[in-house]
Structure formats: C-alpha cells, structure tokens
Amino acid sequence: MEEEFNTGRSRGSSKRTLQITPLDEEDQEEVQIDDSGDVDSYDDDDDEEEEDEDKEPVGLGVLEKPENSWSLLRELFPSKAGGTPAWLDPINLPTGRSCLCDICGEPLQFMLQVYAPLMEKDSTFHRTVFLFMCTSMTCLLKDQHEQWKRNQDKQSRSVKVFRCQLPRDNSFYSSEPPRNNGKDKPSSPGAVLCGWCGTWKGDKVCGGCRRVYYCSEKHQTFHWKSGHKQRCLPSSISQDASEPSNNKTLREGQEASKSFWPEYDIAITDECEDKVPDDNGQVNSLISSSRVDESIEALIDSFEGGDDKKSWANFQERISRTPEQVLRYYRDAGAKPLWPTSSGQPSKADIPKCTYCGSRRAFEFQVLPQILYYFGVENDVHSLDWATIAVYTCESSCDGHVAYKEEFAWVQIASQSSTTQR
C-alpha cells in the first residue's frame, strides 16, 4: 500500500528518489533523479565513465493547467506553481516577519511548492518545500548583497523557503492514498486565511463586519479599496458577529485578490541527455520555443567576461533540450545546480547550516526564469527577473516543534559584477 501512496526518496544514500506524479497509480515506478548538470570534472577518466553510468536523469518540472478544479487541493499533496499555496500543515502556518519581505515589509507572494517525501524517516512520509518571494526587482537586487552575509540571522531576504513534513498517521489527512476522483477530503479544516491574498494566516479581523480576516494591515487596506468598503455594511455586523471565526467561507478556496500569479500543476519529466531541440516539437508547450529563446538571450548583453558567456552557453544548450522547463529537481547526494554564470556562485561556506539542528544544507532544486512568462510578468528593465534560484534544505530534514522550517535560497541574477561584494 505504501508504494501506491508515495515512493519518497532517501537522502542518506547516494541516490535520492522522487515521485511527484499521481499517488494512486499502482504501476508508477520510482523516479531517481540526480545532478547531471554538474560542471565539475574528474581527473580520472575511468572514474568519470563509471560515474556517468550510475547517473539518472534530472527531473524537469514543466507547467500544465490543472485537469480539474480539485486537482491541486492540499489533500492531494500537489506540486504546483502560482495561485495560493496548498499548505501541508494547514493550521500552524508561518507567521510574523517570516511572511514578509525583510527589505520592503510587504507580504511575500507564493511562487511554487514541490511535494518531495523522504522514505527513510516516518516523520517525512509527507514533505513539501515552499518557495515565496517579493515581486519587487528592487528588493531582489538588495537581496543579492544580503545572501553573501555569512551570518544568516543578519540577512534581510526577499526570497524565502519553507519546509514542512508530516508522518503518514497525522490529524490532517487520511493514512490511505487519495482516490483522485474529486471526493477526497482533508481530515480537519485549516486556519482562516487572509481575505485578500488567500495565502497567509488571517490574524487581524475587519473592525466593521468582523467577518473577514487579514494577514496584514496593508492587505486589509487593499481589500477595503477594492470593494469590501461597499460590502462591509453596518447591518451585517450583528449577523456576521455570531458566526464562528473559522467560517468555512474564509478558508482555503476563498476569493482572494487577483494579484497573485496564475495557477499551474507541476509535472515532472526526465531530462534526456541526447535530446536535440526541435522547434516543431513544441505543440504541447504553453509558450513557444521562440519566446523562451528570446527571454534567455535577452540576458546575455548584461554578462561581463568570457567565463560568464561560456557558462551561459552551456546552460542554454542544456535548457534548450526542453525549453518549457521551469524547475530542475536533483536527487543525488552532493548534487550541484546547473549554474547559468560562473560569477555569483556560492561556496560551501556561503550556504548556512540548518538553524534548527545545525546540519549541513544540501542543494535540492532550482527554479528557472522561464516561469515568469507563465506568470505573465513583463520583460522590461524594471520587471522581476533572475538567472536561477537554487534551493538548499536541511540534509537531515530535521523534525521539531516548528511546523514550517525556514530553509535557504541562493539567487543568481544575470549580472553579478555589482552584487557579489562580501
């Protein structure tokens, strides 16, 4: 039965396995993913040949429109991008400054989540990594200086990562695999969410109707100006005040603001090492290959030096095999990102250890800028943009009383010449 639910992966071994496809398919095989994008070479040719034979393909995340309205609900343990997060632990959400951009103070916007269970621990039977970021490019540029600080407590970040994990037997979900037929239900409701963003916990209530909750005063102001002012009538106060604060209409599925990015399912496919780019093979792509190529080539002008251009050429060649990919998932221990540029790469000392258990953080996946086209972000000088975002998580995937443990993201933008000062 467990194989039908998830195959998970093992971080303690040389291979780490991942299954992000539907969990109820009995014939689903394990997908072992590693870093075939490592640019480091071996001195011994025999060792390199032996290593190549042992490698498995990198998992490529491509975006697809969800098949059904219920396909990305939290009880189905989805990997998804855009929209609002499908919180794994629906009660004990991140709060306080964890939800905010440390630079401008705005609530962070949900980008994506990856469902990646570990099979060697009972406590990681369910495991999801969430990525949030500020939509301001000004904040991202300032973030570049902050990520070089070796003391993580002193970093002010505009990109944040959270890891959440649960055992198979928990109070939120059935221990049986989802049926994926639209009839799956969580075992318990979630926290009341912000009435504007639908993302963060609503811990502030509207003083008028006392029915809508918000994560911040700023989102309350946005909601008020967008129309809640007309709906928040004095005549409704007595009626709404009697309703329980955990009213189902204010939970996940509520009508949130239209400012978040469009929602997609993340489907994982294997990278083919020998695949040749084919402009005629993009029939099922949500965006044309020419548009992807334009977005990639637009960054080259900002590079300085031959090393950056050489790295970018290698990066572009790998990406062009599947130009619609937005995520690269690696499961080998010791995996490294496929870096677009030679400058701005972190050393081991630049990746902080886990703040909860002190273990080393290991690279897990990277996010590519192609995702911004799916999100409808304009391609101009002031728009949000990056070369890659590399996500590092606790190698031990430690437990503890904190439901959502903050992990680490390293952002590489197109030009590092002015941002790699330590």
Side-chain angles (χ1 to χ4, degrees):
M1 175 63 73
E2 183 162 338
E3 287 73 21
E4 297 177 13
F5 204 112
N6 68 68
T7 54
R9 56 117 180 183
S10 174
R11 248 188 163 166
S13 62
S14 61
K15 285 283 182 245
R16 305 190 296 215
T17 60
L18 169 70
Q19 179 176 324
I20 307 183
T21 45
L23 304 181
D24 61 341
E25 297 180 3
E26 295 184 359
D27 58 348
Q28 181 65 44
E29 297 179 355
E30 283 190 356
V31 179
Q32 293 184 322
I33 304 170
D34 75 343
D35 176 29
S36 58
D38 188 354
V39 298
D40 292 344
S41 59
Y42 293 86
D43 293 331
D44 192 297
D45 292 339
D46 293 337
D47 290 342
E48 182 176 0
E49 182 177 351
E50 181 179 349
E51 180 71 15
D52 287 341
E53 291 177 354
D54 194 40
K55 284 187 176 181
E56 297 291 337
V58 174
L60 305 182
V62 297
L63 300 187
E64 299 177 349
K65 284 295 186 180
E67 293 184 3
N68 303 286
S69 59
W70 44 264
S71 297
L72 300 180
L73 295 178
R74 62 181 174 88
E75 55 266 28
L76 301 181
F77 312 104
S79 291
K80 65 185 294 286
T84 56
W87 293 112
L88 184 60
D89 180 334
I91 297 293
N92 305 296
L93 309 186
T95 58
R97 291 197 59 82
S98 296
C99 311
L100 307 177
C101 172
D102 295 328
I103 297 169
C104 70
E106 295 277 359
L108 295 170
Q109 186 149 313
F110 172 69
M111 177 180 287
L112 59 79
Q113 64 187 73
V114 178
Y115 180 69
L118 297 174
M119 63 184 181
E120 74 266 19
K121 294 173 60 176
D122 293 338
S123 61
T124 56
F125 185 86
H126 297 297
R127 179 177 175 275
T128 302
V129 181
F130 299 79
L131 177 62
F132 297 82
M133 72 184 307
C134 179
T135 59
S136 167
M137 187 62 190
T138 300
C139 291
L140 186 60
L141 291 172
K142 293 179 179 179
D143 180 282
Q144 296 297 290
H145 294 278
E146 295 293 325
Q147 69 181 5
W148 288 98
K149 293 180 179 179
R150 295 289 174 82
N151 188 340
Q152 190 178 10
D153 294 336
K154 295 182 179 179
Q155 293 179 350
S156 295
R157 300 303 306 275
S158 70
V159 181
K160 295 184 181 180
V161 180
F162 298 96
R163 168 178 53 87
C164 182
Q165 55 202 42
L166 295 171
R168 180 168 189 166
D169 294 318
N170 61 81
S171 60
F172 304 125
Y173 309 102
S174 169
S175 60
E176 298 301 314
R179 292 168 292 178
N180 289 289
N181 60 2
K183 297 181 180 181
D184 295 295
K185 301 294 181 183
S187 301
S188 62
V192 175
L193 302 176
C194 175
W196 174 253
C197 70
T199 296
W200 305 107
K201 181 181 289 187
D203 54 8
K204 299 173 178 61
V205 65
C206 173
C209 65
R210 304 196 65 79
R211 183 171 180 270
V212 184
Y213 290 74
Y214 302 97
C215 66
S216 63
E217 292 182 5
K218 189 158 291 186
H219 280 189
Q220 182 177 6
T221 300
F222 288 160
H223 197 205
W224 182 262
K225 293 180 178 179
S226 70
H228 184 62
K229 180 180 180 179
Q230 285 70 41
R231 296 189 294 269
C232 186
L233 301 176
S235 61
S236 66
I237 295 179
S238 59
Q239 175 185 352
D240 294 336
S242 64
E243 295 183 5
S245 61
N246 63 349
N247 189 325
K248 184 177 180 181
T249 62
L250 301 181
R251 297 185 179 279
E252 57 253 291
Q254 63 181 305
E255 181 181 357
S257 80
K258 303 302 182 182
S259 63
F260 49 64
W261 290 311
E263 188 174 52
Y264 295 95
D265 182 19
I266 299 179
I268 300 295
T269 61
D270 290 348
E271 181 181 45
C272 297
E273 292 281 348
D274 56 351
K275 181 178 180 180
V276 178
D278 182 0
D279 291 338
N280 296 323
Q282 303 301 321
V283 178
N284 295 321
S285 176
L286 293 178
I287 52 177
S288 67
S289 60
S290 60
R291 192 177 185 190
V292 175
D293 292 340
E294 179 183 354
S295 69
I296 293 177
E297 292 173 358
L299 299 176
I300 296 180
D301 293 338
S302 63
F303 293 154
E304 298 182 7
D307 290 341
D308 274 351
K309 292 182 178 180
K310 182 178 179 180
S311 295
W312 186 260
N314 175 65
F315 176 81
Q316 184 178 8
E317 189 277 327
R318 290 289 298 275
I319 298 303
S320 65
R321 300 172 188 173
T322 310
E324 63 268 33
Q325 63 182 285
V326 301
L327 179 140
R328 296 176 63 83
Y329 204 100
Y330 301 76
R331 284 307 187 185
D332 267 3
K336 297 179 182 179
L338 177 64
W339 293 111
T341 65
S342 60
S343 58
Q345 296 183 18
S347 65
K348 290 184 178 179
D350 291 319
I351 306 302
K353 293 183 178 180
C354 177
T355 55
Y356 304 94
C357 71
S359 295
R360 186 178 74 95
R361 279 195 174 102
F363 169 64
E364 187 159 349
F365 63 87
Q366 67 186 107
V367 183
L368 307 179
Q370 285 91 318
I371 196 171
L372 295 173
Y373 278 104
Y374 290 87
F375 287 166
V377 177
E378 296 293 333
N379 186 19
D380 60 52
V381 67
H382 300 296
S383 296
L384 190 65
D385 201 5
W386 64 82
T388 197
I389 300 175
V391 172
Y392 295 80
T393 58
C394 175
E395 192 172 47
S396 302
S397 203
C398 62
D399 303 312
H401 66 282
V402 179
Y404 287 87
K405 296 176 175 59
E406 191 166 348
E407 298 290 9
F408 185 77
W410 185 272
V411 183
Q412 193 181 58
I413 60 174
S415 177
Q416 297 286 336
S417 58
S418 60
T419 58
T420 54
Q421 301 173 7
R422 299 172 186 259

